[in-house]
């Protein structure tokens, strides 16, 4: 993959125009299920982040929700789970996104790797991660991250940085670092969500803005690993 960077004088954004010269994605290249194709691209992005090092945070995922008034919201999280059920992440269930999901249990998420001219989009309904899954993940987190989860009433206002740090110090004193991995319990308000997709799009940037977009659309029951549940179509770039 290489690209031609041309200064088009885009003073408004400071951007230069890049001609995307990725490998593209043809119907012949596409694997037979959305899970297989997503797994391949995610694994390749993670590998590239270690080798070429031009993909930073390969698991960074934009998560869009809709609030009770119908207004969209979006933020970045780290994808912590990917299996045949869909991509998942951890967060505070009482955050803004948590309230939005409670009002409208739908979500769209996107993983984007500009250096690879690739993106994946998932759209569907949302389910909460089950507690066993959350517990298991929680115990893999470093102590300081677990204290931070206890400290933060995520998305609520805080008067100052000093207040936040004082709250952290109180939680650190409440749950001292014993070096053991079960010293800090999982807060009730902490957990995560998984998108259960009805649509998965694979976007591959190509020359002259003639990009490839292959979309799996749900046509029956079954998870992301069930070929019979999906139909593939191509969309215009
Ligand atoms: C690279 C990156 C990774 C992040 N990962 C997470 C995450 O895994 N979980 C999370 O709750 N917030 C994460 N955040 C913070 C969120 O973007 C956001 O600020 C927070 O979840 C509150 O969002 P909300 O008020 O819409 O609920 C991350 C931010 C960045 C930039």
């Amino acid at each position: 993959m290489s690209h031609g960077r041309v200064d088009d004088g885009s003073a408004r954004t400071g951007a230069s125009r890049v001609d995307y010269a990725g490998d593209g994605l043809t119907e012949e290249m596409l694997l037979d299920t959305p899970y297989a194709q997503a797994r391949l691209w995610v694994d390749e992005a993670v590998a590239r982040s270690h080798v070429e090092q031009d993909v930073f945070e390969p698991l960074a995922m934009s998560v869009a929700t809709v609030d009770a008034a119908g207004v969209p919201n979006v933020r970045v999280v780290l994808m912590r789970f990917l299996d045949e059920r869909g991509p998942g992440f951890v967060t505070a269930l009482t955050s803004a996104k948590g309230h939005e999901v409670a009002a409208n249990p739908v979500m769209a998420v996107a993983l984007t790797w500009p250096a690879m001219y690739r993106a994946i989009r998932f759209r569907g309904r949302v389910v909460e991660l089950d507690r066993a899954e959350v517990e298991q993940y929680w115990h893999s987190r470093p102590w300081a991250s677990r204290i931070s989860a206890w400290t933060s009433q995520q998305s609520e206002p805080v008067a100052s940085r000093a207040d936040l740090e004082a709250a952290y110090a109180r939680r650190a004193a409440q749950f001292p670092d014993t070096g053991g991995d079960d010293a800090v319990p999982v807060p009730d308000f902490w957990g995560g969500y998984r998108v259960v997709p009805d649509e998965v799009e694979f976007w591959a940037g190509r020359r002259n803005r003639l990009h490839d977009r292959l979309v799996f659309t749900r046509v029956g029951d079954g998870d992301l690993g069930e070929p019979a549940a999906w139909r593939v179509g191509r969309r215009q770039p």
Side-chain angles (χ1 to χ4, degrees):
M1 296 182 203
S2 64
H3 62 243
R5 191 176 284 274
V6 180
D7 183 358
D8 70 349
S10 303
R12 282 163 301 185
T13 61
S16 55
R17 188 175 297 280
V18 176
D19 197 22
Y20 295 164
D23 297 338
L25 181 66
T26 63
E27 284 78 354
E28 293 69 37
M29 292 158 74
L30 190 74
L31 299 179
D32 68 344
T33 66
Y35 177 68
Q37 187 63 45
R39 183 83 259 166
L40 176 69
W41 275 18
V42 167
D43 289 349
E44 288 182 351
V46 170
R48 186 155 170 148
S49 74
H50 297 309
V51 182
E52 281 91 344
Q53 299 185 352
D54 55 1
V55 173
F56 180 67
E57 292 289 24
L59 303 180
M61 178 166 82
S62 302
V63 171
T65 47
V66 181
D67 74 12
V71 180
N73 207 351
V74 66
R75 78 290 290 158
V76 173
V77 303
L78 291 180
M79 184 175 71
R80 295 294 188 190
F81 305 91
L82 177 64
D83 61 29
E84 286 85 348
R85 294 169 293 176
F89 62 93
V90 294
T91 192
L93 304 174
T94 46
S95 62
K97 71 181 85 53
H99 293 303
E100 288 158 5
V101 161
N104 281 309
V106 291
M107 207 173 257
V109 308
L111 293 134
T112 310
W113 305 290
M116 302 175 81
Y117 313 113
R118 284 178 179 173
I120 309 180
R121 297 161 68 179
F122 299 86
R123 299 174 75 203
R125 61 192 177 86
V126 193
V127 294
E128 209 179 301
L129 298 178
D130 53 62
R131 289 316 280 176
E133 210 170 7
V134 171
E135 288 265 353
Q136 191 184 19
Y137 175 74
W138 175 260
H139 294 297
S140 75
R141 280 167 80 91
W143 174 81
S145 301
R146 289 182 277 148
I147 295 301
S148 172
W150 269 104
T151 302
S152 174
Q153 293 171 280
Q154 195 179 52
S155 315
E156 294 299 319
V158 63
S160 67
R161 176 83 205 178
D163 284 6
L164 197 58
E165 289 181 4
Y168 181 92
R170 282 195 298 279
R171 290 301 190 183
Q174 182 183 357
F175 303 116
D177 187 5
T178 62
D181 69 358
D182 59 352
V184 190
V186 188
D188 286 347
F189 59 81
W190 197 87
Y193 299 101
R194 172 176 286 114
V195 189
V196 180
D198 288 318
E199 185 180 289
V200 186
E201 174 178 323
F202 295 89
W203 181 97
R206 297 186 63 173
R207 284 192 188 286
N208 304 325
R209 294 290 188 266
L210 223 46
H211 313 308
D212 289 322
R213 298 178 64 190
L214 296 183
V215 183
F216 286 91
T217 305
R218 177 180 292 287
V219 291
D221 291 337
D223 62 25
L224 294 175
E226 171 52 58
W230 303 94
R231 185 187 59 224
V232 176
R234 176 179 283 268
R235 285 190 190 152
Q236 300 187 34

